[in-house]
Amino acid sequence: MNAYTRVLESLLYADIDNLRTVASLIDQVAGHYRFVANGVAATTIAPPSPNLINGLNFAVREIEETTGRHILAQGIGSSLAVITPENAEGQGVDMFLATVSLVKPMNVAIFAFDEEVDLPIAMVAAGSLPTRVIFRLVAAPKTLSWGGNLLEAIATLSQTPPDVILVSAATLQEIPPSLEELGQSIALLQDMHEPRDRALVIVVGSKAVQDTLYPLLHKNSTLEAVLIEDQPDEYTVAEETLDLLETYYQETRIARLPGFGAIQSWSNFTIRSAPAMRTLSIRHLSRQTSGSILYAYIGSEATQVVAANATAYRSFIDVDWGTGYSLVNLLQGEVLEQVLRWTPGMTPERDLLALLWQRALRPHIRPTMEDLLWLEHAAARVLLGKTIRTLPATYRHETGFPAPDFLIGSGGVIQNVPRPAQAAMILIDAVQPVGVMRLLRERLGLLPLVGYLAEEEQRLVADLLRFDMFETLGTLIVPFGEMSPGKKVLEFTMPMPGGGAYTVEVEAGQLYREYVPPGAKLTLELKPARGIDIGEGSGRKRTVTIHGGSVGLIVDARGRPIPQVETLVTQRKLVQDWMLYVGS
């Protein structure tokens, strides 16, 4: 990001996804940076108005009408432009930034020489952008050979050409023969395609690695390098690799969007990928806390999951599953049945199917019927649950998953639920975590700004995190182990606001909720039954601090995985009972 030379007082931020364009105004209020207002408009990416600037104009005009503040003025010709910097009358803003939440994903092929470091470097970088990892190959341990797998790679990638070939060789101390063999194979693959269809090749490794591959590839490939000079720090290298991938993504995807040039002319700063900024934002937050974070974003065309602690992080994006037009992917077999199983009520399945078709055709319209709302929430559970349970094995490395200290939900479905308990239950039912954790939801979709501005505007980021970024839902306790029906699995003493206390006993299969107001903290001694674990080992007590929130305390003793009964009607009635009990 370019340096900004004057004091930043106000900021206009826009995030554009396939369905909606959301513009947000941030300004100084009583000495702190605060969210002031936002405007929402349909994204104008398709006919009859295939120009993103039109939707952005509508969103900003909504802010102007709400606040009475002029932000746009006549630009060159008939176009509008942002008034910048903010003038003495308080019109305009000092800075405009924009991110794009999803465009066409990139196909990536990964070749790694080490499964513990090299592969995670590649997967973290690729998993922070809308990509499909269409092929990945790890060299054999010790020998670092490929066997006959390079022939398979050429055959596969000749049929499905990658946009990027990522060679991750950060751990190589000496140059094995298999590195030159890989270079020759990539060169052969590139020659099979026309120059315009050839992949960008990114090489992560030492100067010796670069010197080995460059003579083999420079004639028919565009090459980028992440140079490793010392003992590599896995996550620093991953972020440098992500920078190269994101630059290529901007050039080949974002910059080709209709109206990109007009939007870019509003700002001195590059329009960036929102998924990449979310990854860096959670990485930044994990460094500020003493615990691990699991972040789930359910978007219109993709679902993103980021797990991080102070020393490690992973990001993964499922680019085929979202709550927008890709809802049509849910209209099949077992996936459709799961959506129906998470839909409460007595509406016949035939009618629910018709409503789901309607939602897939018009996802930009907010649900106005209760059944349609339940369907959207059920779809969100299935989408996020599917993403969680199909994560690459490397995702789980050193991240503490699936027992985070903070579980954070985001995306349109989570942000727009009528009641906070609904957001909490979507997260709990989809992720099915265990242990004790705090539940939060992103309120306004401003999280990408943390990754964008964390280094340059630390005060602004700190204020947003303190005041506007998240809503604390409360605390979740999930005992796990032998869940026999009717068995008492957990006991604790709950203090009363006016003094005194009472004993809570939770049985297997139950959900327990107690309202603990935002800002309140309680210390509880949790006493699990024999064979039950709450994070300290089977049957061992644990003293925890409970943080209040808009939902309060939830104890989920339904078991893991959450059991499902055989018949669809009975299952839907059970889901309805769960939702009614927690107020969702």
Side-chain angles (χ1 to χ4, degrees):
M1 180 173 167
N2 300 334
Y4 191 70
T5 56
R6 70 185 295 264
V7 176
L8 178 65
E9 294 185 1
S10 56
L11 167 70
L12 179 67
Y13 166 64
D15 182 57
I16 303 168
D17 72 10
N18 289 38
L19 290 181
R20 297 180 184 88
T21 297
V22 181
S24 300
L25 175 64
I26 297 165
D27 204 348
Q28 290 202 34
V29 178
H32 294 285
Y33 291 101
R34 299 300 305 269
F35 166 81
V36 176
N38 68 7
V40 183
T43 296
T44 47
I45 195 171
S49 179
N51 190 330
L52 295 180
I53 195 68
N54 296 328
L56 181 56
N57 285 337
F58 294 142
V60 177
R61 287 303 193 198
E62 188 174 318
I63 294 176
E64 292 182 322
E65 292 174 5
T66 301
T67 63
R69 176 178 187 153
H70 293 296
I71 298 175
L72 299 179
Q74 194 66 41
I76 299 174
S78 60
S79 64
L80 298 172
V82 175
I83 301 170
T84 185
E86 180 181 337
N87 61 32
E89 289 75 36
Q91 310 304 317
V93 292
D94 288 321
M95 181 186 293
F96 170 73
L97 298 175
T99 57
V100 175
S101 277
L102 187 75
V103 292
K104 183 180 177 182
M106 296 190 301
N107 290 337
V108 177
I110 294 173
F111 296 90
F113 281 84
D114 174 81
E115 192 164 16
E116 295 298 319
V117 176
D118 290 338
L119 183 59
I121 285 173
M123 292 299 291
V124 166
S128 299
L129 289 166
T131 62
R132 290 188 180 93
V133 178
I134 59 174
F135 190 90
R136 68 179 188 181
L137 182 61
V138 181
K142 297 182 180 179
T143 64
L144 299 181
S145 63
W146 305 108
N149 292 322
L150 283 181
L151 294 176
E152 178 189 348
I154 293 174
T156 299
L157 298 178
S158 64
Q159 299 299 315
T160 309
D163 298 295
V164 178
I165 296 173
L166 182 49
V167 179
S168 188
T171 58
L172 285 187
Q173 302 296 317
E174 299 179 358
I175 304 303
S178 56
L179 180 63
E180 184 172 347
E181 183 185 3
L182 176 62
Q184 293 169 344
S185 298
I186 294 174
L188 175 61
L189 176 66
Q190 297 282 61
D191 283 337
M192 293 180 179
H193 302 296
E194 295 295 324
R196 65 176 181 276
D197 297 325
R198 291 172 184 169
L200 168 71
V201 180
I202 298 177
V203 180
V204 181
S206 65
K207 186 176 184 301
V209 169
Q210 311 288 344
D211 289 345
T212 300
L213 292 180
Y214 182 82
L216 299 170
L217 296 173
H218 79 281
K219 292 182 179 180
N220 63 3
S221 302
T222 301
L223 292 166
E224 294 286 355
V226 177
L227 184 62
I228 307 297
E229 295 181 325
D230 300 307
Q231 187 69 21
D233 174 76
E234 178 180 333
Y235 298 99
T236 299
V237 175
E239 289 178 8
E240 292 176 3
T241 307
L242 172 58
D243 285 343
L244 293 178
L245 273 175
E246 191 192 2
T247 298
Y248 187 68
Y249 185 76
Q250 290 166 349
E251 294 171 351
T252 61
R253 299 295 192 271
I254 295 177
R256 296 179 183 178
L257 290 169
F260 166 84
I263 296 177
Q264 184 63 78
S265 69
W266 284 17
S267 178
N268 293 324
F269 308 107
T270 303
I271 297 175
R272 303 193 67 176
S273 165
M277 294 301 97
R278 291 189 195 102
T279 300
L280 296 182
S281 297
I282 296 301
R283 173 64 165 149
H284 173 79
L285 289 177
S286 68
R287 290 168 175 160
Q288 311 302 313
T289 66
S290 57
S292 59
I293 298 172
L294 183 63
Y295 170 82
Y297 173 84
I298 307 171
S300 64
E301 295 300 316
T303 301
Q304 180 176 14
V305 177
V306 184
N309 59 27
T311 60
Y313 71 103
R314 293 287 184 271
S315 177
F316 178 77
I317 302 174
D318 194 331
V319 296
D320 296 312
W321 299 90
T323 56
Y325 294 108
S326 60
L327 274 176
V328 70
N329 294 333
L330 296 177
L331 297 168
Q332 53 184 314
E334 294 181 2
V335 180
L336 175 60
E337 183 180 352
Q338 283 301 311
V339 174
L340 297 179
R341 280 181 167 270
W342 280 112
T343 306
M346 301 303 294
T347 303
E349 285 74 35
R350 180 181 64 253
D351 294 343
L352 291 177
L353 181 59
L355 286 174
L356 193 57
W357 267 110
Q358 175 185 335
R359 189 67 184 149
L361 292 173
R362 298 178 179 87
H364 54 285
I365 301 174
R366 289 190 178 181
T368 55
M369 300 171 52
E370 188 175 69
D371 282 334
L372 202 53
L373 182 70
W374 297 141
L375 265 176
E376 185 172 74
H377 292 183
R381 286 172 166 86
V382 174
L383 293 170
L384 179 55
K386 177 186 174 298
T387 301
I388 289 287
R389 275 166 273 287
T390 57
L391 293 172
T394 52
Y395 179 93
R396 303 169 186 265
H397 176 59
E398 295 179 356
T399 56
F401 177 82
D405 298 292
F406 299 88
L407 176 56
I408 304 174
S410 182
V413 174
I414 297 291
Q415 291 166 213
N416 297 323
V417 293
R419 293 184 290 276
Q422 294 170 336
M425 289 305 293
I426 290 172
L427 288 173
I428 295 168
D429 293 340
V431 178
Q432 301 193 25
V434 297
V436 180
M437 68 210 68
R438 293 178 64 181
L439 297 175
L440 301 94
R441 70 165 167 168
E442 190 184 355
R443 298 177 57 238
L444 302 165
L446 298 176
L447 186 66
L449 279 177
V450 175
Y452 212 138
L453 297 174
E455 300 299 326
E456 288 82 3
E457 296 293 341
Q458 297 181 18
R459 183 181 156 215
L460 182 148
V461 167
D463 281 350
L464 289 179
L465 291 173
R466 178 184 174 188
F467 296 113
D468 297 313
M469 194 74 73
F470 299 112
E471 174 190 5
T472 299
L473 300 175
T475 300
L476 172 67
I477 298 174
V478 184
F480 54 100
E482 302 172 9
M483 294 289 181
S484 303
K487 171 186 176 181
K488 184 181 79 172
V489 296
L490 186 65
E491 179 182 316
F492 57 90
T493 299
M494 192 76 185
M496 300 175 66
Y502 57 94
T503 299
V504 175
E505 294 182 351
V506 182
E507 294 183 356
Q510 283 188 335
L511 277 168
Y512 169 84
R513 178 190 173 188
E514 184 71 42
Y515 180 64
V516 181
K521 292 183 181 181
L522 301 176
T523 300
L524 301 181
E525 184 182 42
L526 306 178
K527 302 174 183 177
R530 180 178 299 178
I532 300 299
D533 194 342
I534 49 172
E536 294 292 336
S538 178
R540 299 188 64 177
K541 298 179 182 178
R542 181 178 178 184
T543 300
V544 298
T545 300
I546 300 300
H547 295 260
S550 53
V551 178
L553 169 65
I554 296 177
V555 181
D556 182 0
R558 292 175 294 175
R560 293 293 184 264
I562 295 174
Q564 293 194 348
V565 296
E566 186 172 338
T567 65
L568 187 58
V569 172
T570 307
Q571 176 65 31
R572 291 180 60 195
K573 176 62 169 61
L574 185 59
V575 169
Q576 180 170 297
D577 291 342
W578 290 339
M579 293 181 179
L580 288 173
Y581 187 79
V582 298
S584 68

